[in-house]
Amino acid sequence: MRRAALLALALAACEKSPEAPEAPAPAAKAGRNVVLFVGDSLTAGYGVAPDAAFPALLGERWAKEAVGYRARNAGISGATTAGVLETLDWALAPEVDTAFLCIGANDGLRGLDLGASQANLSSIIEKIQAKGIRVVLAGMKVPPNYGEDYSRRFEAMYPDLARKHGVKLMPFLLDGVAGKRGSNLPDGIHPNEAGHRRIAANVQDFLDRERLLR
């Protein structure tokens, strides 16, 4: 009888499956989900609050719409193409998926040599692409008082670079903002809050049209 009871207990123990250990939660995987806006005072948001600059407005929109991307503002007031080329590495963090380049305006406003500016922009694009980061280029223009030839060559730099490096081009960052009194600060150069809202809308339309956030 005792032996039978022991055998029954043993069989019951075998039939009862032990609880499986709880699988550890998967480690969070750091993905590339940052759109880095590289630029000068137009991008940095000179004269407006940081959260009113167009990169911040885009980031706020993406968070609400859960598109899976974050915006990071790497604009530095007064930056030139040469300055960006020298200081770019610190901004190219592992989580950067796309670099949106909005630079060159200060080169034009200072009347710098366009050959040097174009070479700098080309090197910036190549440096970013070498890290496996997608590049998007925003075109710029200078006022006509810089002379027709200089203005034309300055504007032409951007489509030339886009073709050379195979990158998407937003034709003009300040479309609908440049020269509009209600969209700029009293200096007539830097966008005010309304101007930044218009830029943010234009950039979003461009990204949607090119399907760059999908």
Side-chain angles (χ1 to χ4, degrees), residues 21 34 39 48 58 69 79 83 96 108 113 138 142 152 162 173-174 176 196 199:
V34 168
V48 301
L58 288 166
Y69 281 86
V96 175
D113 176 68
V142 292
R152 178 185 54 79
L173 181 70
L174 301 180
H196 277 280
I199 296 170

Side-chain angles (χ1 to χ4, degrees), residues 15-182:
E15 289 171 358
K16 186 178 180 182
S17 301
E19 288 186 11
E22 221 176 277
K29 187 177 180 181
R32 284 190 165 187
N33 66 346
V34 168
V35 179
L36 183 73
F37 290 90
V38 181
D40 45 42
S41 56
L42 300 174
T43 302
Y46 173 86
V48 301
D51 61 358
F54 77 85
L57 297 176
L58 288 166
E60 182 180 2
R61 175 173 177 170
W62 298 345
K64 287 180 180 177
E65 297 178 356
V67 299
Y69 281 86
R70 296 179 289 141
R72 183 173 297 167
N73 193 337
I76 300 174
S77 293
T80 62
T81 58
V84 170
L85 181 58
E86 289 179 2
T87 60
L88 182 64
D89 284 335
W90 70 268
L92 300 179
E95 64 269 24
V96 175
D97 171 85
T98 300
F100 199 105
L101 302 182
C102 315
I103 52 178
N106 284 322
D107 292 48
L109 292 176
R110 298 178 188 181
L112 300 183
D113 176 68
L114 294 183
S117 298
Q118 186 157 347
N120 291 336
L121 280 163
S122 189
S123 296
I124 289 166
I125 294 170
E126 290 170 353
K127 179 179 283 193
I128 296 170
Q129 290 179 328
K131 291 184 176 290
I133 297 171
R134 177 173 54 186
V135 175
V136 179
L137 186 61
M140 298 286 179
K141 298 180 182 180
V142 292
N145 58 303
Y146 281 77
E148 182 180 346
D149 181 64
Y150 188 87
S151 300
R152 178 185 54 79
R153 289 191 296 117
F154 180 86
E155 185 176 348
M157 282 198 309
Y158 295 92
D160 286 349
L161 287 162
R163 284 190 294 270
K164 177 181 177 180
H165 296 285
V167 304
K168 296 291 185 180
L169 173 69
M170 181 180 176
F172 184 34
L173 181 70
L174 301 180
D175 187 35
V177 175
K180 304 290 185 182
R181 181 174 298 178

Side-chain angles (χ1 to χ4, degrees), residues 69 98 134 136 168 206-208 210-214:
Y69 281 86
T98 300
R134 177 173 54 186
V136 179
K168 296 291 185 180
F206 170 78
L207 294 173
D208 289 343
E210 297 294 340
R211 302 175 68 86
L212 292 174
L213 298 186
R214 300 184 184 182

